[in-house]
Amino acid sequence: MSHALHVPFDAATARTAGGTRSRAYPRLVLATTILASSLAFIDGSVVNVGLPAIGRSFHAEAAGLQWVVNAYLLPLSALLLLGGAAGDRFGRRRLLIVGVLLFGIASLACAVAPTLVLLLLARFVQGASAAMLMPNSLAILGQSFSGEAKGRAIGIWAAAGAAAGAIGPVLGGWLIDAGSWRFVFLINVPLSVATIVLASRYVDKDVDDTAGSLDWLGGALITAALGLATWALTEGSGQAWSPTTFVVLGASLIFSLLFLSAERRLDDRAMMPLSLFGSPSFVGLTLLTLLLYGALGGLFVLVPYVLIEAGGYTATQAGAALLPLPLVIAVASPTAGALAAKVGPRWLLITGPVMVAAGFLLALRIGSDTGYWLGVFPAMVVIALGMAGAVAPLTTAVLMSVDNRHTGAASGLNSAVARTGGLVATALIGPVIASSGPALLSAFGVAASIGAVICSVAAASAATLIAPAGKAQPSIRR
């Protein structure tokens, strides 16, 4: 499940060239943004179902399969904010088209990759492309609609994303069972072509002449820091914590400190303004997001893998097993959002992760003799209800925790942190993927228990740091 992407919707400073096509063809503009974002949504969930087949095709070990996921998440996590800023600077339509074009080419490269190394390189390009197209697809909605129409358009966009998350794993599993895992990547090629045609014809050109220079240094430093950390965690968890892994982890820390130093010098021009962290509530929300989505990201990789390898499920059945997650979240999120508006987001951000933790404990039954309806289904439903209680209030709370000048940066950073959580979690699940037979179920049980603890810590961070409803948020110190 992809974390909701937040970008500023106020395009008052953007100077559009004419602006007539978006107004004349609003439905086609909406279709364009849905198709673009669906590329990333579908790809992020379908590949998890294909991991066992990819592993058999390349005779890959656990670390190789972890990198199939993380080669995509790494550039997406590191460059998401830079991709949104580039759209402001060079034009959102232009960045959308370039991002979709690169995504389609990279998907074709994934489909024909003869070796695991080339597959990972293509996956990296996919992630970098997604960092370009995802923020700009939603930003285009913001500049193309206004008033109630904007709210309806964003609601349809979000619902379509939920539908893509539901259909993707099932469709991907069917393609794997019917032919090959390579067909999963080929889905993206016609979608990319259709998106480029629609964007070229019906989305207005736009360039913000007031936008400043991009934080290229920050993007390079955080990519290096996350990449080194991911390699060290993957090797350390799957093999052994050798001197080399500690040296690489130390290098990651150095790059992280250089990144923070660069961001401090750039102040509000940075891709991650450090002034955001002057709000204790924002700190708590960031920690909650990292932990909650980290636990969930690990679960999304492990559940279909365990069902296929230990439960005897086909890829189609494993994809269908995840259906309750997006469906329940899509149905229950509006109610949670309305409740958050009445009572404030804090209590929902406490109870939601607690429910997710309970769902992780129910997941301990997966792989036993209870079958799908008594084993997998209850865990998926409870986790989905907990996430539904947290997703919409999290969006509200992030925007409430900072002043108006920082809402775009705060929401974008929160979305990037969610993906970073999944990146770290995937790097740490090597021991589970490396197991087989009864040992796989045992290792999965340990991972599910750890996930429950992590979700409980996320709830504690919300209870400790997020300000109660009605209490003034601390001002951001510059």
Side-chain angles (χ1 to χ4, degrees), residues 268 273-280 282 401-407 410 473-478:
D268 278 355
L274 298 185
S275 56
L276 292 172
F277 296 94
S279 164
F282 183 78
S401 67
V402 299
D403 59 35
N404 291 334
R405 293 183 302 110
H406 293 85
T407 54
Q473 297 288 338
S475 60
I476 296 178
R477 296 181 178 87
R478 295 185 56 81

PDB file of all heavy atoms in Angstrom, residues 268 273-280 282 401-407 410 473-478:
ATOM      1  N   ASP A 268      15.371  27.434   4.238  1.00  0.00           N
ATOM      2  CA  ASP A 268      14.097  27.118   3.591  1.00  0.00           C
ATOM      3  C   ASP A 268      14.251  26.735   2.127  1.00  0.00           C
ATOM      4  O   ASP A 268      13.289  26.282   1.499  1.00  0.00           O
ATOM      5  CB  ASP A 268      13.139  28.306   3.696  1.00  0.00           C
ATOM      6  CG  ASP A 268      12.427  28.337   5.041  1.00  0.00           C
ATOM      7  OD1 ASP A 268      12.622  27.388   5.827  1.00  0.00           O
ATOM      8  OD2 ASP A 268      11.695  29.305   5.298  1.00  0.00           O
ATOM      9  N   PRO A 273      13.864  21.263   4.876  1.00  0.00           N
ATOM     10  CA  PRO A 273      14.137  22.378   5.804  1.00  0.00           C
ATOM     11  C   PRO A 273      14.180  21.880   7.249  1.00  0.00           C
ATOM     12  O   PRO A 273      13.202  21.327   7.764  1.00  0.00           O
ATOM     13  CB  PRO A 273      12.959  23.326   5.578  1.00  0.00           C
ATOM     14  CG  PRO A 273      12.431  22.978   4.227  1.00  0.00           C
ATOM     15  CD  PRO A 273      12.658  21.500   4.081  1.00  0.00           C
ATOM     16  N   LEU A 274      15.297  22.078   7.916  1.00  0.00           N
ATOM     17  CA  LEU A 274      15.442  21.582   9.291  1.00  0.00           C
ATOM     18  C   LEU A 274      14.559  22.336  10.264  1.00  0.00           C
ATOM     19  O   LEU A 274      14.305  21.849  11.373  1.00  0.00           O
ATOM     20  CB  LEU A 274      16.909  21.681   9.728  1.00  0.00           C
ATOM     21  CG  LEU A 274      17.904  20.847   8.913  1.00  0.00           C
ATOM     22  CD1 LEU A 274      19.304  20.936   9.523  1.00  0.00           C
ATOM     23  CD2 LEU A 274      17.460  19.390   8.823  1.00  0.00           C
ATOM     24  N   SER A 275      14.084  23.508   9.866  1.00  0.00           N
ATOM     25  CA  SER A 275      13.202  24.265  10.751  1.00  0.00           C
ATOM     26  C   SER A 275      11.904  23.522  11.027  1.00  0.00           C
ATOM     27  O   SER A 275      11.221  23.800  12.021  1.00  0.00           O
ATOM     28  CB  SER A 275      12.895  25.641  10.143  1.00  0.00           C
ATOM     29  OG  SER A 275      12.350  25.510   8.845  1.00  0.00           O
ATOM     30  N   LEU A 276      11.551  22.562  10.165  1.00  0.00           N
ATOM     31  CA  LEU A 276      10.348  21.770  10.408  1.00  0.00           C
ATOM     32  C   LEU A 276      10.408  21.055  11.745  1.00  0.00           C
ATOM     33  O   LEU A 276       9.392  20.863  12.421  1.00  0.00           O
ATOM     34  CB  LEU A 276      10.169  20.729   9.294  1.00  0.00           C
ATOM     35  CG  LEU A 276       9.836  21.223   7.888  1.00  0.00           C
ATOM     36  CD1 LEU A 276       9.888  20.063   6.911  1.00  0.00           C
ATOM     37  CD2 LEU A 276       8.467  21.877   7.874  1.00  0.00           C
ATOM     38  N   PHE A 277      11.608  20.642  12.134  1.00  0.00           N
ATOM     39  CA  PHE A 277      11.752  19.834  13.334  1.00  0.00           C
ATOM     40  C   PHE A 277      11.768  20.675  14.600  1.00  0.00           C
ATOM     41  O   PHE A 277      12.028  20.157  15.689  1.00  0.00           O
ATOM     42  CB  PHE A 277      13.018  18.984  13.230  1.00  0.00           C
ATOM     43  CG  PHE A 277      12.956  17.985  12.109  1.00  0.00           C
ATOM     44  CD1 PHE A 277      13.480  18.290  10.859  1.00  0.00           C
ATOM     45  CD2 PHE A 277      12.341  16.767  12.289  1.00  0.00           C
ATOM     46  CE1 PHE A 277      13.409  17.385   9.819  1.00  0.00           C
ATOM     47  CE2 PHE A 277      12.260  15.845  11.257  1.00  0.00           C
ATOM     48  CZ  PHE A 277      12.786  16.159  10.013  1.00  0.00           C
ATOM     49  N   GLY A 278      11.452  21.972  14.468  1.00  0.00           N
ATOM     50  CA  GLY A 278      11.243  22.797  15.651  1.00  0.00           C
ATOM     51  C   GLY A 278       9.903  22.527  16.308  1.00  0.00           C
ATOM     52  O   GLY A 278       9.643  22.983  17.419  1.00  0.00           O
ATOM     53  N   SER A 279       9.039  21.786  15.632  1.00  0.00           N
ATOM     54  CA  SER A 279       7.728  21.406  16.175  1.00  0.00           C
ATOM     55  C   SER A 279       7.797  19.995  16.732  1.00  0.00           C
ATOM     56  O   SER A 279       8.012  19.037  15.979  1.00  0.00           O
ATOM     57  CB  SER A 279       6.662  21.477  15.074  1.00  0.00           C
ATOM     58  OG  SER A 279       5.491  20.791  15.453  1.00  0.00           O
ATOM     59  N   PRO A 280       7.608  19.812  18.053  1.00  0.00           N
ATOM     60  CA  PRO A 280       7.604  18.455  18.625  1.00  0.00           C
ATOM     61  C   PRO A 280       6.560  17.546  17.975  1.00  0.00           C
ATOM     62  O   PRO A 280       6.792  16.343  17.808  1.00  0.00           O
ATOM     63  CB  PRO A 280       7.305  18.691  20.107  1.00  0.00           C
ATOM     64  CG  PRO A 280       7.765  20.085  20.363  1.00  0.00           C
ATOM     65  CD  PRO A 280       7.482  20.840  19.101  1.00  0.00           C
ATOM     66  N   PHE A 282       5.565  17.585  14.866  1.00  0.00           N
ATOM     67  CA  PHE A 282       6.076  17.116  13.584  1.00  0.00           C
ATOM     68  C   PHE A 282       7.125  16.016  13.784  1.00  0.00           C
ATOM     69  O   PHE A 282       7.167  15.047  13.031  1.00  0.00           O
ATOM     70  CB  PHE A 282       6.683  18.272  12.785  1.00  0.00           C
ATOM     71  CG  PHE A 282       7.161  17.860  11.427  1.00  0.00           C
ATOM     72  CD1 PHE A 282       6.261  17.677  10.392  1.00  0.00           C
ATOM     73  CD2 PHE A 282       8.506  17.635  11.185  1.00  0.00           C
ATOM     74  CE1 PHE A 282       6.693  17.271   9.135  1.00  0.00           C
ATOM     75  CE2 PHE A 282       8.950  17.233   9.940  1.00  0.00           C
ATOM     76  CZ  PHE A 282       8.043  17.054   8.904  1.00  0.00           C
ATOM     77  N   SER A 401       0.804  20.594  12.117  1.00  0.00           N
ATOM     78  CA  SER A 401       1.983  20.668  12.978  1.00  0.00           C
ATOM     79  C   SER A 401       2.977  21.742  12.555  1.00  0.00           C
ATOM     80  O   SER A 401       3.928  22.022  13.286  1.00  0.00           O
ATOM     81  CB  SER A 401       2.687  19.313  13.017  1.00  0.00           C
ATOM     82  OG  SER A 401       3.234  18.989  11.748  1.00  0.00           O
ATOM     83  N   VAL A 402       2.780  22.342  11.372  1.00  0.00           N
ATOM     84  CA  VAL A 402       3.694  23.369  10.883  1.00  0.00           C
ATOM     85  C   VAL A 402       2.886  24.578  10.420  1.00  0.00           C
ATOM     86  O   VAL A 402       1.672  24.508  10.255  1.00  0.00           O
ATOM     87  CB  VAL A 402       4.560  22.836   9.721  1.00  0.00           C
ATOM     88  CG1 VAL A 402       5.408  21.658  10.176  1.00  0.00           C
ATOM     89  CG2 VAL A 402       3.703  22.418   8.531  1.00  0.00           C
ATOM     90  N   ASP A 403       3.581  25.685  10.200  1.00  0.00           N
ATOM     91  CA  ASP A 403       2.879  26.870   9.710  1.00  0.00           C
ATOM     92  C   ASP A 403       2.616  26.746   8.215  1.00  0.00           C
ATOM     93  O   ASP A 403       3.105  25.836   7.544  1.00  0.00           O
ATOM     94  CB  ASP A 403       3.666  28.148  10.029  1.00  0.00           C
ATOM     95  CG  ASP A 403       5.057  28.146   9.424  1.00  0.00           C
ATOM     96  OD1 ASP A 403       5.220  27.599   8.315  1.00  0.00           O
ATOM     97  OD2 ASP A 403       5.989  28.685  10.067  1.00  0.00           O
ATOM     98  N   ASN A 404       1.828  27.694   7.678  1.00  0.00           N
ATOM     99  CA  ASN A 404       1.371  27.588   6.291  1.00  0.00           C
ATOM    100  C   ASN A 404       2.517  27.585   5.286  1.00  0.00           C
ATOM    101  O   ASN A 404       2.409  26.981   4.217  1.00  0.00           O
ATOM    102  CB  ASN A 404       0.405  28.732   5.975  1.00  0.00           C
ATOM    103  CG  ASN A 404      -0.909  28.595   6.708  1.00  0.00           C
ATOM    104  OD1 ASN A 404      -1.310  27.489   7.062  1.00  0.00           O
ATOM    105  ND2 ASN A 404      -1.578  29.707   6.962  1.00  0.00           N
ATOM    106  N   ARG A 405       3.620  28.240   5.610  1.00  0.00           N
ATOM    107  CA  ARG A 405       4.737  28.318   4.669  1.00  0.00           C
ATOM    108  C   ARG A 405       5.411  26.967   4.464  1.00  0.00           C
ATOM    109  O   ARG A 405       6.121  26.761   3.487  1.00  0.00           O
ATOM    110  CB  ARG A 405       5.785  29.329   5.148  1.00  0.00           C
ATOM    111  CG  ARG A 405       5.328  30.763   5.158  1.00  0.00           C
ATOM    112  CD  ARG A 405       6.466  31.691   5.569  1.00  0.00           C
ATOM    113  NE  ARG A 405       7.009  31.352   6.883  1.00  0.00           N
ATOM    114  CZ  ARG A 405       8.214  30.822   7.068  1.00  0.00           C
ATOM    115  NH1 ARG A 405       8.988  30.537   6.048  1.00  0.00           N
ATOM    116  NH2 ARG A 405       8.648  30.564   8.305  1.00  0.00           N
ATOM    117  N   HIS A 406       5.223  26.067   5.407  1.00  0.00           N
ATOM    118  CA  HIS A 406       5.961  24.806   5.370  1.00  0.00           C
ATOM    119  C   HIS A 406       5.079  23.594   5.071  1.00  0.00           C
ATOM    120  O   HIS A 406       5.550  22.462   5.158  1.00  0.00           O
ATOM    121  CB  HIS A 406       6.668  24.575   6.712  1.00  0.00           C
ATOM    122  CG  HIS A 406       7.759  25.546   7.000  1.00  0.00           C
ATOM    123  ND1 HIS A 406       7.524  26.763   7.581  1.00  0.00           N
ATOM    124  CD2 HIS A 406       9.104  25.484   6.773  1.00  0.00           C
ATOM    125  CE1 HIS A 406       8.674  27.407   7.729  1.00  0.00           C
ATOM    126  NE2 HIS A 406       9.640  26.657   7.241  1.00  0.00           N
ATOM    127  N   THR A 407       3.806  23.798   4.736  1.00  0.00           N
ATOM    128  CA  THR A 407       2.910  22.647   4.563  1.00  0.00           C
ATOM    129  C   THR A 407       3.348  21.743   3.413  1.00  0.00           C
ATOM    130  O   THR A 407       3.298  20.518   3.523  1.00  0.00           O
ATOM    131  CB  THR A 407       1.464  23.108   4.342  1.00  0.00           C
ATOM    132  OG1 THR A 407       1.428  24.034   3.253  1.00  0.00           O
ATOM    133  CG2 THR A 407       0.911  23.761   5.599  1.00  0.00           C
ATOM    134  N   ALA A 410       6.494  19.847   4.475  1.00  0.00           N
ATOM    135  CA  ALA A 410       6.196  18.887   5.535  1.00  0.00           C
ATOM    136  C   ALA A 410       5.475  17.659   4.996  1.00  0.00           C
ATOM    137  O   ALA A 410       5.817  16.519   5.337  1.00  0.00           O
ATOM    138  CB  ALA A 410       5.363  19.559   6.622  1.00  0.00           C
ATOM    139  N   GLN A 473      -0.072  24.580  18.654  1.00  0.00           N
ATOM    140  CA  GLN A 473       1.156  23.939  18.244  1.00  0.00           C
ATOM    141  C   GLN A 473       2.340  24.863  18.515  1.00  0.00           C
ATOM    142  O   GLN A 473       2.247  26.056  18.317  1.00  0.00           O
ATOM    143  CB  GLN A 473       1.091  23.633  16.728  1.00  0.00           C
ATOM    144  CG  GLN A 473      -0.006  22.670  16.356  1.00  0.00           C
ATOM    145  CD  GLN A 473       0.313  21.252  16.794  1.00  0.00           C
ATOM    146  OE1 GLN A 473       1.456  20.910  17.003  1.00  0.00           O
ATOM    147  NE2 GLN A 473      -0.702  20.444  16.944  1.00  0.00           N
ATOM    148  N   PRO A 474       3.451  24.324  18.952  1.00  0.00           N
ATOM    149  CA  PRO A 474       4.625  25.151  19.152  1.00  0.00           C
ATOM    150  C   PRO A 474       5.075  25.781  17.835  1.00  0.00           C
ATOM    151  O   PRO A 474       4.975  25.155  16.786  1.00  0.00           O
ATOM    152  CB  PRO A 474       5.690  24.146  19.658  1.00  0.00           C
ATOM    153  CG  PRO A 474       4.933  22.946  20.102  1.00  0.00           C
ATOM    154  CD  PRO A 474       3.697  22.915  19.289  1.00  0.00           C
ATOM    155  N   SER A 475       5.484  27.004  17.900  1.00  0.00           N
ATOM    156  CA  SER A 475       5.941  27.671  16.679  1.00  0.00           C
ATOM    157  C   SER A 475       7.272  27.082  16.237  1.00  0.00           C
ATOM    158  O   SER A 475       8.041  26.581  17.027  1.00  0.00           O
ATOM    159  CB  SER A 475       6.112  29.172  16.936  1.00  0.00           C
ATOM    160  OG  SER A 475       7.049  29.387  17.946  1.00  0.00           O
ATOM    161  N   ILE A 476       7.498  27.148  14.923  1.00  0.00           N
ATOM    162  CA  ILE A 476       8.738  26.635  14.365  1.00  0.00           C
ATOM    163  C   ILE A 476       9.823  27.680  14.552  1.00  0.00           C
ATOM    164  O   ILE A 476       9.697  28.806  14.105  1.00  0.00           O
ATOM    165  CB  ILE A 476       8.567  26.301  12.872  1.00  0.00           C
ATOM    166  CG1 ILE A 476       7.551  25.184  12.701  1.00  0.00           C
ATOM    167  CG2 ILE A 476       9.875  25.918  12.236  1.00  0.00           C
ATOM    168  CD1 ILE A 476       7.286  24.823  11.276  1.00  0.00           C
ATOM    169  N   ARG A 477      10.882  27.270  15.213  1.00  0.00           N
ATOM    170  CA  ARG A 477      12.002  28.201  15.431  1.00  0.00           C
ATOM    171  C   ARG A 477      12.904  28.195  14.211  1.00  0.00           C
ATOM    172  O   ARG A 477      13.254  27.165  13.684  1.00  0.00           O
ATOM    173  CB  ARG A 477      12.781  27.779  16.661  1.00  0.00           C
ATOM    174  CG  ARG A 477      11.977  27.850  17.939  1.00  0.00           C
ATOM    175  CD  ARG A 477      12.828  27.441  19.137  1.00  0.00           C
ATOM    176  NE  ARG A 477      12.102  27.542  20.378  1.00  0.00           N
ATOM    177  CZ  ARG A 477      11.347  26.576  20.862  1.00  0.00           C
ATOM    178  NH1 ARG A 477      11.223  25.454  20.181  1.00  0.00           N
ATOM    179  NH2 ARG A 477      10.723  26.721  21.991  1.00  0.00           N
ATOM    180  N   ARG A 478      13.314  29.340  13.795  1.00  0.00           N
ATOM    181  CA  ARG A 478      14.221  29.473  12.663  1.00  0.00           C
ATOM    182  C   ARG A 478      15.633  29.584  13.159  1.00  0.00           C
ATOM    183  O   ARG A 478      15.881  29.979  14.244  1.00  0.00           O
ATOM    184  CB  ARG A 478      13.837  30.712  11.838  1.00  0.00           C
ATOM    185  CG  ARG A 478      12.442  30.577  11.187  1.00  0.00           C
ATOM    186  CD  ARG A 478      12.190  31.775  10.296  1.00  0.00           C
ATOM    187  NE  ARG A 478      13.242  31.905   9.315  1.00  0.00           N
ATOM    188  CZ  ARG A 478      13.318  31.211   8.192  1.00  0.00           C
ATOM    189  NH1 ARG A 478      12.423  30.294   7.932  1.00  0.00           N
ATOM    190  NH2 ARG A 478      14.301  31.395   7.341  1.00  0.00           N
TER     191      ARG A 478
END
